Amino acid sequence: FACPVFATDHTVLLTPSARFFRRLQQTLMPPQTKALPIDGASVTTFDRFGDHRGYFNELYNEEKYDGLSAPGERWKQVSFSSSQKHALRGLHCSPHGKFITCVRGSFYDVIADFRDGSPTFGRWCGVLLTDKNKKQVFVPGGCGHGFFTFEDDTCALYLQEGCFNPAKEADTHPFDPLVNVQWPVPEGVVPVMSAKDEAAPFLSVRRPKLCGYAPRGRVLVIGGTGQVGGALIEAFGARNCVGTYAATPAEGMIHFDLAQAAMQPQLAIDLVQTVYPEVVCICAGFTWVDGCEREPQKANAMNNRGPAVLAAAAAAVGAKVVWYSTDYVFSGGSSLPGSGGSKANGVAAADAGGPYGEEDPPSPLNVYGSSKLAGEAAVLAADPSALVLRTNVVYGPEHVGKNFVYQLARKLGSGEAMNVPVDQIGTPTYNRDLADATKRLVEAGASGLFNVGGPEPLGRVAFAEKVITALGGRRPLDAGLIKPVETVNAGQAACRPLASGLKLDKLRAAIPDWAPRSVAEAIDDWLANPHGKSLGE
């Protein structure tokens, strides 16, 4: 390329090639790096500039790759590989980190954590890398790495933090049962492997202390930072779960936005291909009832389209899908204002009131209930074997501390009065009981619609009084600060079902050993086994 020509008045006259690169720098978006479920591992999405001649993209730029684990000056070796279709390479473990890009073809890139002391030891994850999807993967040193190709002449480029030294490499068999990688090998295909990889030992041979070590479970919890998600991670065991967050980063969790996935289904596909879960529990949603009235599009994205997209992606890899709905799909014996007891906005008006069984006809009063009802149908259409669980008035330990019991303890504990609806009846559900029922139903192979609730039909005032009594001297609260109000005078934007609650006959028949705890029993368990925010914070 010719050099830029400088004019005598100090203005710069750019040659066509210089103008191209100037335009290129202005056009390309900076690389975006996100954490993977392996501690220290990441996936980077880069931009690409193209025209009628082809395309140009940067494979690495130390000034732009801010989120990458390894700074540019640490790259010591650049390597390149070419593989035939259905080749399986790995699992190769190097003490050095590596940064991998697919420059031709496509492969499923796998990282397995072999690092003693790592919080994700024994976990694996995968990322589909192609010459078109503009993704790169960073593999931390000490992790196993391998890939399975889908096309002939598939080529990979590696930047490595250290130079290859056979004496420091430690290969592990790609089908080691301790790691249990779910390689996406098509049915009837025998992967093409090297003699060296076929002869590689299991990890327990290199480390005898791992004999009898159980492989991690693979439960993906969407909305792992919430009260239902947190209880599920507790129930299934943290080592068996990968949780997601949407807004506030949480240690050990990865980012996923359900609302974005509703508009971009590939985000759900990418997440599922990364985790390759056995179970997907979709706890995230737009649960602010009055907010749903103000933002119906967001409500339908998060409570309907997003869960359906995720259910379809999960079903494609054979995962069990669990999604959570609500008793707000019913009217609670109320009717929409001005409905006159007939249909309003396409939804039946008043019914006889709860508690409700699974077979009772729904009749939501608000956008939240309508979006959840549509979500039930959409999830089951995407995956007829999915498990849809209706629940209500969920409470229990959580990290955010926003459920009814937290609000009650916080306000009354500071001497502040709290308005409590006197005419809303439900069956308050302890989040740990909901999580336990979920786990039992999954293990029983259940599918379809189930109610999961508490054993006591209670109005909100009676619920509050039971919480205060159960806390007793351990967290003394003044019941006189409860101010009963009728729902019609509560100043809420959305109509609420009044006489609601859920029947549990079908659930008890499916898992007869399960029994929900009373409010008093739940509060005792909560205080004996605290988790997340303390009551009163």
Side-chain angles (χ1 to χ4, degrees):
F1 292 126
C3 294
V5 177
F6 289 87
T8 55
D9 62 356
H10 304 294
T11 59
V12 178
L13 303 178
L14 299 179
T15 65
S17 62
R19 286 197 297 271
F20 170 81
F21 283 105
R22 171 75 61 83
R23 188 170 75 252
L24 177 67
Q25 295 298 322
Q26 294 172 342
T27 303
L28 293 179
M29 296 293 291
Q32 303 294 318
T33 298
K34 293 173 59 175
L36 289 169
I38 303 296
D39 187 45
S42 59
V43 57
T44 298
T45 303
F46 60 88
D47 205 356
R48 176 177 284 165
F49 180 86
D51 58 22
H52 63 282
R53 299 164 300 168
Y55 66 80
F56 172 90
N57 62 256
E58 297 174 335
L59 296 181
Y60 181 75
N61 183 326
E62 66 178 1
E63 295 179 357
K64 298 179 182 179
Y65 279 64
D66 295 334
L68 193 61
S69 299
E73 61 268 25
R74 287 171 60 190
W75 302 127
K76 304 298 183 184
Q77 179 175 325
V78 179
S79 303
F80 184 88
S81 71
S82 177
S83 304
Q84 70 178 81
K85 184 178 182 179
H86 297 155
L88 197 163
R89 296 180 181 265
L91 294 163
H92 305 150
C93 182
S94 166
H96 309 299
K98 59 184 79 169
F99 192 49
I100 299 128
T101 307
C102 178
V103 293
R104 184 183 296 131
S106 58
F107 58 87
Y108 186 65
D109 201 62
V110 167
I111 309 169
D113 194 344
F114 295 159
R115 298 166 296 176
D116 283 326
S118 167
T120 54
F121 172 80
R123 178 183 290 171
W124 69 272
C125 71
V127 177
L128 177 66
L129 297 180
T130 79
D131 55 10
K132 297 181 178 62
N133 70 0
K134 298 178 287 186
K135 293 181 185 295
Q136 301 165 293
V137 166
F138 176 74
V139 181
C143 288
H145 172 252
F147 59 77
F148 178 77
T149 64
F150 299 105
E151 302 176 47
D152 279 325
D153 198 21
T154 289
C155 298
L157 181 73
Y158 308 74
L159 303 181
Q160 297 170 221
E161 289 180 332
C163 296
F164 176 73
N165 183 343
K168 295 183 178 179
E169 301 288 315
D171 297 346
T172 296
H173 198 282
F175 294 99
D176 187 331
L178 186 150
V179 186
N180 197 28
V181 174
Q182 300 299 298
W183 298 99
V185 179
E187 187 175 354
V189 169
V190 177
V192 181
M193 298 170 56
S194 69
K196 174 171 150 301
D197 286 347
E198 287 184 335
F202 290 160
L203 198 59
S204 59
V205 174
R206 294 188 185 278
R207 307 180 197 176
K209 66 180 182 180
L210 296 176
C211 289
Y213 183 91
R216 286 175 177 257
R218 303 190 64 77
V219 180
L220 176 59
V221 181
I222 307 298
T225 56
Q227 64 173 338
V228 176
L232 284 165
I233 291 172
E234 231 183 15
F236 282 99
R239 73 181 298 272
N240 299 316
C241 296
V242 174
T244 74
Y245 69 89
T248 305
E251 186 177 357
M253 296 194 188
I254 58 176
H255 179 264
F256 178 74
D257 190 317
L258 194 59
Q260 286 185 349
M263 299 180 289
Q264 303 174 57
Q266 187 62 45
L267 295 175
I269 295 170
D270 289 348
L271 175 68
V272 168
Q273 287 179 344
T274 292
V275 179
Y276 227 96
E278 300 161 323
V279 181
V280 178
C281 296
I282 310 171
C283 315
F286 192 22
T287 58
W288 180 26
V289 178
D290 290 345
C292 288
E293 294 295 308
R294 300 184 184 104
E295 299 182 77
Q297 290 184 336
K298 180 178 178 181
N300 276 289
M302 296 191 69
N303 299 337
N304 176 3
R305 294 193 303 274
V309 162
L310 195 50
V317 299
K320 181 67 178 180
V321 175
V322 184
W323 183 66
Y324 295 86
S325 188
T326 173
D327 67 328
Y328 273 44
V329 300
F330 299 107
S331 73
S334 305
S335 59
L336 288 164
S339 68
S342 61
K343 275 208 167 191
N345 299 324
V347 176
D351 57 33
Y356 295 97
E358 290 84 353
E359 72 286 349
D360 288 321
S363 51
L365 297 174
N366 51 47
V367 172
Y368 173 63
S370 297
S371 66
K372 282 288 192 176
L373 182 61
E376 291 180 0
V379 167
L380 288 169
D383 178 11
S385 68
L387 193 55
V388 173
L389 304 182
R390 287 177 182 160
T391 190
N392 73 140
V393 197
V394 179
Y395 68 99
E398 56 161 312
H399 289 285
V400 179
K402 66 180 182 179
N403 65 48
F404 178 77
V405 174
Y406 274 108
Q407 294 180 47
L408 184 76
R410 191 159 46 241
K411 288 193 172 185
L412 272 58
S414 63
E416 181 184 349
M418 181 174 174
N419 292 336
V420 178
V422 71
D423 50 356
Q424 292 183 25
I425 299 172
T427 46
T429 310
Y430 188 40
N431 62 352
R432 284 171 166 154
D433 290 342
L434 175 58
D436 183 44
T438 300
K439 184 171 182 285
R440 290 169 183 258
L441 286 168
V442 168
E443 291 170 348
S447 61
L449 181 63
F450 283 84
N451 290 341
V452 184
E456 304 165 290
L458 294 170
R460 288 298 179 95
V461 171
F463 179 30
E465 291 171 344
K466 281 184 174 287
V467 169
I468 293 170
T469 300
L471 289 172
R474 296 173 292 184
R475 299 282 195 284
L477 300 175
D478 182 2
L481 292 172
I482 296 174
K483 303 302 178 185
V485 296
E486 291 188 352
T487 298
V488 71
N489 298 320
Q492 296 169 322
C495 296
R496 260 69 169 179
L498 299 182
S500 190
L502 299 169
K503 295 178 181 177
L504 305 178
D505 300 357
K506 181 179 178 182
L507 180 65
R508 288 191 171 107
I511 46 174
D513 293 336
W514 177 84
R517 282 168 275 201
S518 67
V519 173
E521 292 168 334
I523 296 297
D524 283 345
D525 177 77
W526 185 342
L527 295 179
N529 304 283
H531 180 75
K533 233 175 199 183
S534 298
L535 277 174
E537 283 189 63

